[in-house]
Amino acid sequence: MRPAVLFVCLGNICRSPLAEAAFRAEAQSVGLTVEIDSAGTGGWHKGHPPDRRAIAVAGRHGVDISGLRARKVTAEDFRRFTHILALDHDNLKTLRALRPVDGAAELGLLLDFAEGLEGRAVADPYYGNEAGFEVTWREVEAAAKGLALALAHLPPPR
Ligand code: 4NP
């Protein structure tokens, strides 16, 4: 099965769109064919573009995320994606509770793929400043690199 990765945070306007962007760039650079999306466990920002500070930091790192629109995680996501990666422990807990019985997606914590940051959460930069978004970018980029390597070792598509 071809890998399909969903990144999940709370609002889907700060952290998970950045994880999606960093991983899209990384997958492309290593030639990995993978479906990529992001979603939030909360629906308050449904249909909204990413936070302007998230758009700005991604732009500074060469990725345009202004076209993304927030959405909420659905039961179908657990069947459609092979991996669903939470940006923090609270969202991982929510995902475990939402998983339908036939949802085969592997659930995990994004930073478990970032060397030296295993078990850690990507802190929510929403109530902070621009510098916080640079920290977020560095963390999701480190995880994106580790994740791309891990997935590149998957068996080829049948
Ligand atoms: P995110 O950040 O989960 O990284 O997208 C947040 C954005 C908005 C809210 C919470 C977190 N909010 O409560 O509106």
Side-chain angles (χ1 to χ4, degrees):
M1 192 167 158
R2 176 173 140 176
V5 182
L6 180 69
F7 299 99
V8 176
C9 63
L10 186 57
N12 192 209
I13 57 166
C14 296
R15 293 166 293 172
S16 61
L18 291 176
E20 174 180 352
F23 186 55
R24 207 175 282 287
E26 189 58 27
Q28 192 170 15
S29 95
V30 302
L32 181 70
T33 304
V34 53
E35 187 188 340
I36 306 165
D37 197 7
S38 65
T41 55
W44 315 283
H45 294 283
K46 193 176 158 190
H48 296 179
D51 186 283
R52 58 180 173 72
R53 296 162 297 176
I55 293 174
V57 73
R60 287 195 292 276
H61 293 278
V63 189
D64 178 10
I65 62 166
S66 63
L68 298 182
R69 293 295 176 266
R71 72 172 183 88
K72 199 174 173 185
V73 175
T74 67
E76 183 57 25
D77 287 327
F78 293 85
R79 296 183 279 267
R80 180 172 143 220
F81 291 91
T82 57
H83 297 73
I84 301 183
L85 298 175
L87 277 282
D88 64 30
H89 303 84
D90 281 349
N91 287 297
L92 180 56
K93 203 166 141 189
T94 304
L95 287 170
R96 291 201 201 288
L98 286 175
R99 181 214 284 271
V101 284
D102 62 343
E106 197 174 299
L107 306 188
L109 195 60
L110 178 68
L111 288 186
D112 279 350
F113 290 94
E115 208 184 322
L117 297 177
E118 297 90 345
R120 299 253 308 270
V122 176
D124 192 344
Y126 187 65
Y127 297 103
N129 55 23
E130 294 275 344
F133 282 76
E134 283 291 346
V135 173
T136 305
W137 180 267
R138 274 207 305 278
E139 293 179 348
V140 300
E141 194 183 37
K145 286 183 194 302
L147 180 60
L149 286 180
L151 291 182
H153 290 116
L154 280 180
R158 279 177 288 164

